[in-house]
Amino acid sequence: MKQRGSDLTTLGHRIRHFRGERGLTLDQLGERVGIAGSQLSLIENGKREARVGTLQAIAGALEVDLTTLLATEAPNTRAALEIELAKAQRNPLYVSLGLPAVKPTRGTPDETLEAMLGLHRELARRASEAIATPEEARRANTELRERMREKQNHLPEIERLAEERVRAAGHRVGALTHREVSVMAEQLGFQLIYVNDLPDSTRSITDIANGRIYLPPASIPGGHGLRSMALQAMAHRILGHERPASYAEFLQQRLEINYFAACCLMPQEASVAFLSAAKKEKRLAIEDFRDAFGVTHEAAALRFTNLGTVHLDMTMHFLRVNGDGALLKGYENDDIPLPTDVTGSIEGQWVCKKWSARNAFTHTNRTTEFYQYTDTPAGTYWCATQTGRSDDGEYSITLGVPFSEAKWFRGRETTVRAVSTCPDESCCRRAPAELAGRWAGQAWPSARLHAQILSPLPSGTFPGVDDGAVYSFLEAHAASGDPLQ
């Protein structure tokens, strides 16, 4: 049996613990087992791996069964401290400092070990916080987007899990109801509770100990309805998520819970049947897909990207653009030239002023989708855009496809057409020569500062979450005895 360094350290401590209980010296135990005391010392110090036969002999000499000897728990509090210290000193973060490893002796007080471990934990915490910068977040998000592009934005395992859960709750057709979401929670051993005092840094809180999921009493701005938030909270449990060890892992978990919620609200089988029928009749429309399942326009457009390539055999792109033209969220597998910075990140970049994602803001009738063809250096694309407003201002949601795929969509007959040469700056970013000559040196605009770009992203236990507020909230509600307050 091949054991890792941490396993060997624990095993050594357990052998030493049982040997001490039996009052045996290294040489006395070695004599009973048939090996030299010096060799046994190496095993106890985690520096040598013992054969199965040797371990069986040691267990017999110590009068314990082999399973007990090989248990992964530290035999006592002191051993737990020494094991954690040994592990911390093997960490590459500590090794990179070039400092010597400290070997505790019998005379080393427990308080000293606890102080040293406190320093190691703080070192690890600060290192984690240092990497959770805007640059690290953009890099991690770009890598995640590229991975999803390779998968066609489709995660079949989560699709299967969601389909099973939805069917188990009794749902068959139409929009998933709040009652069915509550049944799904009950089947997992949780009760959905709506409260007014959730900490500002959270969307929901799951009390694992008491089987409760706390949610706000009404939908929050941005279209994140109560059904979706409850499903996302359940998804953490269903998908077996642990505390994220990095910002990249945090983003991966966030993507997976959003994906699970979308799969439940718009189940794959029913969604593909709906979309396939619409494609056959050449009347595909995100607004119809949205209304059929009772979700937001953004949720429907994103869900279309999950299913459109794998089940409808078409490529596409999705954009969420702020009112000032900044790209907030994007996906493409149709080679449309999304704006990027030097790292490949798209978030915060300016979308071409000639794309429908920005032209839609000038559209008079905003209750329906705005359709447009756009000629770009990568080809011609057809897009359908819907605008909306949240507390943060206006935004637009765009679902677009290459010209050859437009024939399947309602709105393909539009005569609105634009030409974009972006990323060529002369397209919409560079002032005409006449204006530049007239105003160069005669104007001084004051730029708006987005203060969040100056701050590192919070890392903590869960990035962005105020742990203290969460724990205080749970303590208050757990002690109240009235979960419905």
Side-chain angles (χ1 to χ4, degrees):
M1 70 183 65
K2 189 68 175 176
Q3 293 183 304
R4 297 171 299 175
S6 57
D7 296 332
L8 292 175
T9 301
T10 303
L11 173 62
H13 276 278
R14 293 187 70 82
I15 293 174
R16 183 181 299 122
H17 170 74
F18 290 119
R19 177 172 63 82
E21 282 190 342
R22 306 300 182 268
L24 299 174
T25 65
L26 281 169
D27 289 334
Q28 289 172 335
L29 179 58
E31 184 177 346
R32 295 187 182 187
V33 175
I35 60 175
S38 58
Q39 298 301 308
L40 187 59
S41 176
L42 293 174
I43 295 174
E44 285 193 357
N45 288 317
K47 297 180 178 179
R48 173 163 297 181
E49 185 175 352
R51 298 177 182 273
V52 176
T54 302
L55 292 176
Q56 290 175 331
I58 292 174
L62 294 175
E63 300 177 352
V64 298
D65 57 65
L66 186 58
T67 302
T68 301
L69 187 68
L70 295 177
T72 58
E73 298 82 14
N76 50 47
T77 302
R78 170 69 181 208
L81 293 173
E82 294 187 9
I83 291 170
E84 184 180 352
L85 181 62
K87 182 179 180 180
Q89 292 182 148
R90 287 195 301 268
N91 188 297
L93 180 63
Y94 182 77
V95 173
S96 67
L97 300 177
L99 298 174
V102 177
K103 181 175 173 54
T105 64
R106 288 185 178 180
T108 305
D110 289 358
E111 292 78 6
T112 300
L113 297 181
E114 290 171 351
M116 294 173 66
L117 286 171
L119 291 174
H120 278 283
R121 292 167 189 151
E122 180 63 13
L123 180 65
R125 187 194 69 79
R126 295 195 179 194
S128 176
E129 183 178 76
I131 65 171
T133 61
E135 291 76 16
E136 172 66 14
R138 286 196 293 271
R139 181 195 64 76
N141 200 46
T142 299
E143 291 178 354
L144 180 58
R145 179 164 47 83
E146 289 300 320
R147 288 199 302 273
M148 291 305 293
R149 190 181 194 275
E150 293 173 1
K151 297 175 183 292
Q152 307 297 354
N153 217 30
H154 186 73
L155 300 175
E157 181 59 24
I158 295 182
E159 297 277 0
R160 183 187 64 78
L161 287 172
E163 199 86 22
E164 290 175 355
R165 290 290 176 177
V166 167
R167 287 186 176 277
H171 178 75
R172 293 296 178 267
V173 295
L176 189 69
T177 66
H178 286 273
R179 173 56 188 161
E180 288 166 337
V181 173
S182 295
V183 171
M184 291 175 65
E186 290 167 5
Q187 290 173 342
L188 292 173
F190 288 96
Q191 178 185 10
L192 301 182
I193 300 173
Y194 303 96
V195 294
N196 292 308
D197 58 340
L198 279 175
D200 292 338
S201 64
T202 65
R203 300 173 63 196
S204 68
I205 295 178
T206 301
D207 180 351
I208 300 173
N210 296 298
R212 299 170 181 173
I213 296 176
Y214 293 99
L215 299 160
S219 296
I220 62 175
H224 300 290
L226 293 179
R227 293 177 304 159
S228 181
M229 283 192 286
L231 291 166
Q232 289 172 26
M234 286 184 259
H236 281 302
R237 311 268 63 82
I238 293 170
L239 300 176
H241 288 166
E242 301 289 344
R243 290 180 179 178
S246 65
Y247 201 80
E249 188 176 344
F250 167 75
L251 291 178
Q252 178 70 39
Q253 290 184 2
R254 178 57 60 87
L255 180 146
E256 289 178 355
I257 64 173
N258 284 333
Y259 194 104
F260 177 85
C263 291
C264 292
L265 294 171
M266 294 163 278
Q268 179 175 256
E269 184 176 332
S271 294
V272 171
F274 179 89
L275 294 172
S276 296
K279 181 184 178 185
K280 185 177 181 180
E281 297 177 8
K282 296 185 177 181
R283 57 173 180 80
L284 277 172
I286 298 302
E287 54 189 3
D288 289 352
F289 188 34
R290 170 199 69 198
D291 295 342
F293 291 91
V295 296
T296 65
H297 199 87
E298 180 175 6
L302 279 170
R303 186 64 175 140
F304 190 90
T305 68
N306 299 148
L307 304 171
T309 301
V310 174
H311 293 283
L312 303 180
D313 193 29
M314 61 176 65
T315 57
M316 67 209 68
H317 61 271
F318 164 89
L319 307 172
R320 177 176 172 132
V321 175
N322 205 8
D324 61 3
L327 180 57
L328 302 179
K329 187 187 302 182
Y331 168 80
E332 63 78 27
N333 64 356
D334 58 4
D335 297 321
I336 192 171
L338 295 181
T340 63
D341 62 16
V342 293
T343 69
S345 176
I346 63 173
E347 288 73 25
Q349 300 303 302
W350 300 110
V351 169
C352 179
K353 293 180 181 179
K354 300 177 182 179
W355 285 12
S356 70
R358 297 187 67 176
N359 280 337
F361 290 119
T362 63
H363 186 45
T364 303
N365 182 7
R366 297 198 187 182
T367 60
T368 60
E369 291 182 305
F370 172 74
Y371 307 116
Q372 175 181 307
Y373 287 99
T374 308
D375 299 322
T376 77
T380 299
Y381 294 87
W382 174 89
C383 297
T385 300
Q386 177 71 64
T387 58
R389 176 177 288 277
S390 70
D391 284 352
D392 296 326
E394 287 188 307
Y395 64 91
S396 67
I397 303 297
T398 297
L399 191 288
V401 295
F403 178 84
S404 60
E405 307 286 1
K407 60 187 178 184
W408 308 115
F409 289 83
R410 186 171 68 233
R412 60 187 176 276
E413 67 281 355
T414 182
T415 58
V416 178
R417 198 177 191 107
V419 177
S420 167
T421 60
C422 281
D424 180 358
E425 289 189 354
S426 64
C427 175
C428 63
R429 297 294 302 279
R430 187 183 302 159
E434 180 182 351
L435 287 178
R438 177 181 176 183
W439 290 103
Q442 304 302 315
W444 185 276
S446 181
R448 176 181 296 173
L449 176 64
H450 295 285
Q452 66 269 21
I453 68 173
L454 303 178
S455 304
L457 292 163
S459 51
T461 304
F462 297 99
V465 171
D466 182 347
D467 290 341
V470 171
Y471 299 149
S472 296
F473 169 89
L474 289 173
E475 188 70 18
H477 280 266
S480 69
D482 180 10
L484 298 179
Q485 64 171 315

